[in-house]
Amino acid sequence: MSFSHLGLSDKVIGAIDAAGYKTPTPIQEQAIPHVLARRDVLGIAQTGTGKTAAFVLPMLTMLEKGRARARMPRTLILEPTRELAAQVEEQFDKYGKNHKLNVALIIGGVSFGDQDMKLVRGVDVLIATPGRLLDHSERGRLLLSGVELLIIDEADRMLDMGFIPDIERIGKLVPFTRQTLFFTATMPPEIQRIADNFLHNPVRIEVSKPATAATTITQLQCAVGREGHEKRDTLRRIIRAAENFKNAIIFCNRKREVALLHKSLISHGFNAVALHGDLDQSARTAALEAFRNGTAKLLIASDVAARGLDIPAVSHVFNFDVPHHPDDYVHRIGRTGRAGLTGTAISLVAPIDAKSVQAIEKLMGMQIPWMGEPAKAETPESASGEPRANRRPQGERSSERSGEGRGSRGGRNRGGRDRQPRQDTAPQDQAPVPVQAEAKAPVEQPQPALEQPRLRQDNRQEPRRRPDKSPVRASQPQPKREPVADEPDGSHLPAFLLRPVTIKSA
Ligand code: AMP
């Protein structure tokens, strides 16, 4: 099948040729004719499947007829993060190079004024994050009653980020008769409910099961203690010993962990950048660019910030924290082993992660091999909170107790695991030495640029984490807007938990 059979316009076909694409991907082949026939589409597809072009290409064809009016966009694409929104805009630049369409990006973190000017000029394609879009609408600067086509992209991530109420509000502002395309990587019941609300008699297209990880990915797990400094130490060792290492994305569950690990890796001489919701837009863009162009070899990210980003040729993915939800594991490791390239995904697994790993293995339908010794099972005695001589100072530990991403699905694991007494199995000096059990390719030294010139001694104490001083209130009337999308929401700890505790050494 070639692109010319899908009903796309000549201008679009010209741009596809220029992009060098020869054949449509399965989601493109299946979705494009239905989009052009004005059907609603439910697309269950992960990033990397070509799903963006599956809606951008027919949109360009459809938008060739008609003109935009001031403050009344003709089409609306909702994205959960600014980076994804910017990425979609880039695709319009690429595929829409033969068109003269007005495309506007309405995202948080940048000036209202410039966005407003674009809206006044009339917009054919409005790409937006939900919060900023509603801000413009509430100020009366934007009318959604002219939207002919609505695209909700990465719907399950919208759910994770607490954007569903915003999406539902936006759904009431667009005309009932519009066409809707709805993309999600997974289909939890809440997403099914939203899809049922938004879509009318949709064509359902599923291009790969959520649990299908590329066969080109070697997956491993490595046992660690749960203390942050032990995990960081193990991670450094693994990176330094990694075979065929080119670059890596390191995932943490919380943005504070992202910031801490970033600082730590820099202090240990690694060439690393961080991506999390607290960074301003220019810092996020600069970090991504440095990673994409190879200046930075390590990108430390939260799920929310990294979701859906198109970063080709990542050799390694590390789960510094095991994700609480198995779908996130699939998304994370899918950052490597793309487009037929091989990749390695290594998870650092503390005893407390046993249940999460079980769920992941169940979803993946496989057992993930261990590098070195398996993690010891957590026993009631080991979980009893007996103090150990080599524990970290209490102040640092207590500050690590926080929940996970704000608004996560159904509040799964919310703060629960961190309320249990802490326990460790692997002291720092016994951290497992990574074994490349699965490596088949010849040994290759890490590229010199991986580590920057040492700034400080390796044995320098890790930067300390301070207790969270701005706890999120338990009851918030509305989900906060996008800048704090991955804010831990279990961090509203009672004061007594944050009080220093004296631990007697054994
Ligand atoms: P997406 O799943 O939309 O993030 O797309 C993943 C990558 O695939 C992007 O870099 C696209 O430029 C690329 N891509 C999309 N469609 C095709 C195609 N038909 N052939 C080759 N590459 C494509």
Side-chain angles (χ1 to χ4, degrees), residues 376-394:
K376 291 190 188 106
E378 196 168 34
T379 61
E381 300 84 60
S382 66
S384 69
E386 268 305 292
R388 275 182 17 171
N390 65 344
R391 284 193 166 194
R392 300 290 281 174
Q394 184 69 17

Side-chain angles (χ1 to χ4, degrees), residues 213-225:
T215 48
T216 47
I217 305 171
T218 300
Q219 298 174 60
L220 295 167
Q221 52 179 328
C222 177
V224 289

Side-chain angles (χ1 to χ4, degrees), residues 388-456:
R388 275 182 17 171
N390 65 344
R391 284 193 166 194
R392 300 290 281 174
Q394 184 69 17
E396 180 172 340
R397 295 203 330 269
S398 63
S399 68
E400 285 178 4
R401 294 179 188 193
S402 65
E404 57 183 281
R406 190 181 71 76
S408 62
R409 275 173 215 159
R412 60 179 188 249
N413 292 345
R414 188 166 294 163
R417 70 178 218 174
D418 282 348
R419 285 194 201 104
Q420 294 173 20
R422 304 173 68 84
Q423 66 100 42
D424 308 297
T425 53
Q428 188 172 7
D429 54 357
Q430 289 171 14
V433 178
V435 182
Q436 286 294 303
E438 298 288 292
K440 293 159 202 122
V443 177
E444 201 178 273
Q445 290 302 316
Q447 297 187 356
L450 169 63
E451 294 189 31
Q452 292 168 328
R454 292 268 147 135
L455 302 175
R456 299 185 184 103

